[in-house]
Amino acid sequence: MSEPIKIDIWSDIACPWCYIGKRHLESGIASLGDDAPEVDITYHSFELAPDTPVDFEGSEIDFLAKHKGMPAERVQQMLEHVTGVAATAGLDYDFDALQHTKTLKAHELLHFAKEQGLQLELTERLLRAYFTEGRHVGRVDELVELGAEIGLDADAAREALESGRYAAAVQADIAQAQAYGINGVPFFVIEGKYGISGAQPAEVFAQALTQIAGEREGAVA
Amino acid sequence: MSEVDTATTDAAAPAPFAMITGDPSAMVCEGDVCFIPPAG
């Protein structure tokens, strides 16, 4: 039995294409059926907009139109586009309900969850909460509640967030991305050897994993 | 989050891995902007 193929993913909870890319990766793996290699996925922090306030009052359109000065009509068109692509990936984005916020604490909780062996579960839970349920993923109380839903101990999660114990781990991930020259997300690093940028189609992930698994077999033959 | 058609960021520094190009129109996000990265 060979070791799982390692996939490191730089991603932000507030990144619509990261959730779509996650689904495409999962679909790509699933499409390989019995031939799918075993994978070991680790998510890494990437804060797209560190200057975002935790408690921004307004919609996503308000944020981009008023806070960032983009034309509201163009923002609306862009959100409709990403909502449509998300739908093809089986994701029901709701930008009217979305609560724009700073994601630093969410990343800290993801590092805590990683230590508990629940990082993948929390990543999915936070992305779903942010993009489809209109939940606020910047506040400690809501993060603790979401973490508890996937099996994290609520008191321990709260202590992890209030102490800021994982802030350095978040910054280390961001520094690693910078060292790699990663400017945008999602970004996938497979086996530490191959980089894949963006929300690629499922077949790209399937082909890459098949190729890498084949290279491994060739190396041991 | 928003989208533009082209990136205006500097080219990435050399990475310790080979890039798999895949679909060149795959979207990425930087800051508040999501876009199709430039070729090259």
Side-chain angles (χ1 to χ4, degrees), chain B residues 8-33:
Chain B
T8 56
T9 52
D10 295 334
F17 35 75
M19 290 300 297
I20 295 174
T21 305
D23 179 357
S25 66
M27 299 288 283
V28 298
C29 300
E30 284 185 25
D32 295 305
V33 181

Side-chain angles (χ1 to χ4, degrees), chain A residues 26-219:
Chain A
E26 292 162 351
S27 297
I29 294 170
S31 72
L32 297 174
D34 292 341
D35 294 328
E38 192 177 347
V39 296
D40 176 14
I41 296 173
T42 301
Y43 279 89
H44 298 274
S45 302
F46 194 100
E47 210 183 355
L48 278 172
D51 62 335
T52 303
V54 170
D55 289 309
F56 176 76
E57 294 293 334
S59 68
E60 181 74 356
I61 293 176
D62 290 336
F63 181 80
L64 292 171
K66 296 176 184 172
H67 199 68
K68 294 293 179 179
M70 298 178 184
E73 187 178 338
R74 173 134 174 80
V75 172
Q76 182 67 45
Q77 289 173 349
M78 293 183 296
L79 296 184
E80 287 174 1
H81 171 63
V82 71
T83 299
V85 176
T88 66
L91 301 170
D92 186 17
Y93 281 11
D94 186 352
F95 282 105
D96 290 334
L98 185 147
Q99 298 192 64
H100 201 96
T101 187
K102 184 174 177 63
T103 57
L104 179 61
K105 284 295 175 190
H107 283 297
E108 290 182 21
L109 191 63
L110 284 165
H111 277 275
F112 173 69
K114 181 182 174 185
E115 281 193 358
Q116 309 298 312
L118 290 168
Q119 192 200 39
L120 298 186
E121 290 83 352
L122 186 64
T123 298
E124 176 65 27
R125 186 67 193 95
L126 293 183
L127 286 166
R128 180 157 59 92
Y130 185 74
F131 282 111
T132 77
E133 299 174 353
R135 299 284 294 269
H136 196 301
V137 302
R139 295 177 187 146
V140 169
D141 285 350
E142 197 130 2
L143 285 169
V144 168
E145 191 175 311
L146 290 164
E149 286 183 24
I150 57 94
L152 290 177
D153 179 88
D155 291 338
R158 180 177 298 282
E159 189 280 329
L161 291 175
E162 291 180 343
S163 69
R165 190 149 46 95
Y166 293 90
V170 173
Q171 295 309 316
D173 271 355
I174 294 169
Q176 181 69 72
Q178 290 174 340
Y180 280 168
I182 297 171
N183 295 317
V185 290
F187 197 97
F188 305 79
V189 178
I190 304 179
E191 292 281 81
K193 294 193 297 187
Y194 299 99
I196 299 178
S197 178
Q200 294 282 344
E203 53 266 31
V204 171
F205 292 112
Q207 289 167 5
L209 290 170
T210 300
Q211 174 190 327
I212 292 163
E215 288 175 2
R216 273 183 164 195
E217 289 177 11

